[in-house]
Amino acid sequence: MSEILKIGPSFPYVTVVIPAFNASSFIAVQLDALVQQEYPGGWEVIVVDNGSTDNTVEIAESFRHKLNIQIVSAVGTYCPAYARNTGAKIAKGELLCFCDADDRVCQRWILSIVCSAYHADAVGGRIDEVSLNDPKIQRWRTPLSRSGLPNAWYYLDYAPSGNFAIWKDKFDLLRGFDEEYYSCEDIEICWRLQINGGTLSYSNDAVVSYRHRNSLLRLARQNYIRARWAVSLVAKYKANRESGPHLGSLIDRVLYWHPISPNFFSIGRLVGIISMELGILAGIVLQIWNNIKILTITSKDSL
């Protein structure tokens, strides 16, 4: 309450940006949660449809009488970073709050983020991995973070993009999310923010209930894609730095999944490890191939 009193009457106008792709099964849950928000300032919701082929747009449209909502289309480039940037470009808010279509924000999510944002350039909130997930699904993976912001690849902390806020002037200065990254764009923008002198804080009260992938195939695909893009990210930020991110050893990565616990022997844990290692291998191969192409072009130019 004391943090709220410090804000006084000048609550900033907030824009909530939700990228959506074939989210018809879940988006109503998220929008219903936003209807219940306890925020005394002005705010809007922008749902960015990234090429859905189901009735995601129709469901979002049905909330026009409950929310100050816009539904916009972002087609041509199919990735979350592009969708989020599209929403941010038309945002009226001083503060941009990002959440995902398949999760659920808590009742005081916006208010809690605003309170923390007054002390930083960007804010990440707490991830609840219990409420929306079956216990069996929870055992498939290590919790994202036990307290505070998660750390990525032995380098800097980051805020998952499904529970992330940043002042719009700072977002514009950073030129938004890097659309070259299909995944790990949340890690990339948080690292870039901090390297350039920006601050990232944590709000324990800004809770988002996160929905895990509920099949082994979806789990494997998510881990593979994120690991594959992590290789590119680590290479980018490792270059020309004595102390930068690194992938760790195979043992480090396996230990991350808690092999000593009984959960290690679940099929979900094994799928998680294998898909992550395949993604890292694919990322390394692509990185080597790109380096070979650069060297070839450089050699031709020097002749």
Side-chain angles (χ1 to χ4, degrees):
M1 182 61 72
S2 61
E3 292 296 317
I4 297 173
L5 293 175
K6 289 178 185 177
I7 297 174
S10 58
F11 287 91
Y13 194 84
V14 172
T15 297
V16 177
V17 179
I18 308 175
F21 173 73
N22 288 347
S24 61
S25 298
F26 310 113
I27 194 168
V29 173
Q30 183 67 288
L31 295 177
D32 274 328
L34 288 167
V35 170
Q36 304 301 320
Q37 288 300 293
E38 297 177 356
Y39 181 63
W43 61 289
E44 64 177 350
V45 177
I46 299 177
V47 174
V48 186
D49 177 53
N50 198 203
S52 297
T53 56
D54 61 6
N55 62 335
T56 294
V57 172
E58 288 79 1
I59 293 172
E61 291 277 3
S62 71
F63 280 81
R64 286 194 181 276
H65 66 291
K66 300 178 182 179
L67 289 168
N68 177 17
I69 189 171
Q70 293 186 67
I71 297 95
V72 299
S73 177
V75 295
T77 301
Y78 299 98
C79 76
Y82 174 69
R84 292 190 182 96
N85 286 344
T86 299
K89 285 176 183 176
I90 63 170
K92 298 175 183 176
E94 302 167 66
L95 183 69
L96 304 175
C97 294
F98 296 93
C99 61
D100 289 337
D102 56 347
D103 297 334
R104 184 182 67 203
V105 299
C106 71
Q107 196 166 1
R108 290 161 67 90
W109 180 65
I110 296 176
L111 183 58
S112 298
I113 279 182
V114 167
C115 290
S116 294
Y118 271 95
H119 310 293
D121 295 308
V123 180
R126 180 159 58 92
I127 301 296
D128 160 32
E129 299 180 78
V130 176
S131 300
L132 297 181
N133 299 297
D134 182 272
K136 182 185 76 172
I137 304 299
Q138 293 175 45
R139 290 193 293 270
W140 284 359
R141 55 200 307 159
T142 299
L144 188 61
S145 177
R146 291 160 186 79
S147 63
L149 295 170
N151 179 271
W153 301 110
Y154 312 96
Y155 190 39
L156 299 173
D157 293 345
Y158 76 100
S161 53
N163 193 357
F164 174 62
I166 184 170
W167 293 102
K168 192 173 190 302
D169 58 352
K170 181 62 69 172
F171 185 83
D172 291 341
L173 188 64
L174 291 170
R175 298 183 179 180
F177 290 96
D178 190 336
E179 295 174 15
E180 289 187 8
Y181 288 87
Y182 181 84
S183 182
C184 295
E185 77 288 348
D186 46 5
I187 301 174
E188 198 281 330
I189 194 173
C190 288
W191 284 3
R192 184 156 35 101
L193 169 72
Q194 295 170 87
I195 288 170
N196 286 282
T199 54
L200 177 65
S201 71
Y202 173 72
S203 173
N204 193 61
D205 295 324
V207 183
V208 167
S209 296
Y210 177 80
R211 195 185 303 272
H212 284 308
R213 303 300 187 267
N214 60 1
S215 74
L216 291 174
L217 181 61
R218 290 176 179 173
L219 170 68
R221 182 177 185 275
Q222 182 187 44
N223 277 11
Y224 176 87
I225 291 173
R226 199 154 178 87
R228 176 252 179 272
W229 284 100
V231 174
S232 175
L233 180 68
V234 166
K236 173 183 176 181
Y237 282 90
K238 182 70 174 176
N240 302 319
R241 289 187 177 88
E242 292 183 7
S243 177
H246 61 91
L247 297 172
S249 67
L250 174 60
I251 293 176
D252 290 334
R253 296 191 296 270
V254 171
L255 284 175
Y256 173 79
W257 291 80
H258 294 289
I260 297 175
S261 73
N263 292 335
F264 173 72
F265 298 101
S266 72
I267 184 65
R269 294 273 172 152
L270 292 176
V271 168
I273 293 171
I274 293 169
S275 56
M276 180 174 67
E277 291 306 313
L278 288 174
I280 288 175
L281 178 61
I284 291 172
V285 170
L286 285 170
Q287 198 68 34
I288 293 171
W289 176 244
N290 288 335
N291 290 338
I292 290 173
K293 288 195 294 184
I294 292 171
L295 287 173
T296 302
I297 294 171
T298 304
S299 298
K300 287 181 179 179
D301 290 341
S302 63
L303 293 176

